[in-house]
Amino acid sequence: MAVSSELGFFDERSFSLFDYRHGHTQVVLRGFPPFDDAVVESGEGVVLDLCFLGVQRISCWKDIGPVHLRAADAAERATLESRIGPIGRGEVFLLEPDSIESYVIAGRVVWAEFLIPSPFTLPSPLDSQNREEAETYRPVGGFKHSTRA
């Protein structure tokens, strides 16, 4: 079950554009754990998946680095609209601190941490089409976060 959560968090993991489904208007960004001795020995690590739903537009590099996930304020949104045109009803989710260059315009974002095996290439359990992964890999802490319930 999703738990409504506030945006505005920073995560130091290295994030990458992991999955993009144009037909389903969905994007998954995955934060990978540091590849250290503990990961090598256990063969698993904790990833953080950010699943954007109802995606209208995305602007980011494939490899993002650390993420500061936050909602654009009115001034940031107006600046983006002056550049790209009307945004409509979508939310503007910014991915970097003090920048509007990396963003996702979407209806909502859902996120959770998962303990998965290395090399961390399993499909995201947050994607509703990945039923096997969703049944096998439960969110760390037992719940996932969402900007809307």
Side-chain angles (χ1 to χ4, degrees):
M1 175 172 187
V3 174
S4 291
S5 300
E6 293 293 322
L7 286 181
F9 68 85
F10 178 78
D11 195 286
E12 293 184 352
R13 284 174 263 217
S14 180
F15 281 78
S16 292
L17 180 60
F18 186 73
D19 187 19
Y20 174 62
R21 296 201 184 164
H22 178 71
H24 297 285
T25 64
Q26 166 177 303
V27 168
V28 175
L29 302 179
R30 175 165 284 170
F32 295 89
F35 202 72
D36 57 17
D37 290 341
V39 169
V40 172
E41 288 176 20
S42 68
E44 59 189 10
V46 177
V47 299
L48 174 60
D49 283 355
L50 306 171
C51 184
F52 297 88
L53 303 167
V55 174
Q56 297 173 18
R57 188 178 184 116
I58 180 169
S59 174
C60 70
W61 296 100
K62 182 186 180 311
D63 296 313
I64 301 168
V67 162
H68 179 196
L69 183 63
R70 60 196 176 88
D73 62 28
E76 292 166 325
R77 185 179 176 106
T79 300
L80 273 176
E81 283 186 318
S82 71
R83 290 183 188 177
I84 65 173
I87 292 173
R89 295 169 43 136
E91 294 290 328
V92 178
F93 300 104
L94 301 173
L95 304 175
E96 297 178 298
D98 304 319
S99 174
I100 62 170
E101 302 306 317
S102 294
Y103 60 86
V104 179
I105 300 173
R108 70 182 181 129
V109 60
V110 178
W111 67 95
E113 290 182 306
F114 297 94
L115 180 66
I116 63 173
S118 176
F120 315 114
T121 56
L122 285 174
S124 177
L126 291 176
D127 182 345
S128 62
Q129 293 190 336
N130 300 334
R131 291 187 181 113
E132 183 177 333
E133 287 77 12
E135 291 173 10
T136 305
Y137 301 99
R138 299 291 181 187
V140 172
F143 56 86
K144 57 188 176 184
H145 301 273
S146 176
T147 52
R148 284 191 281 171

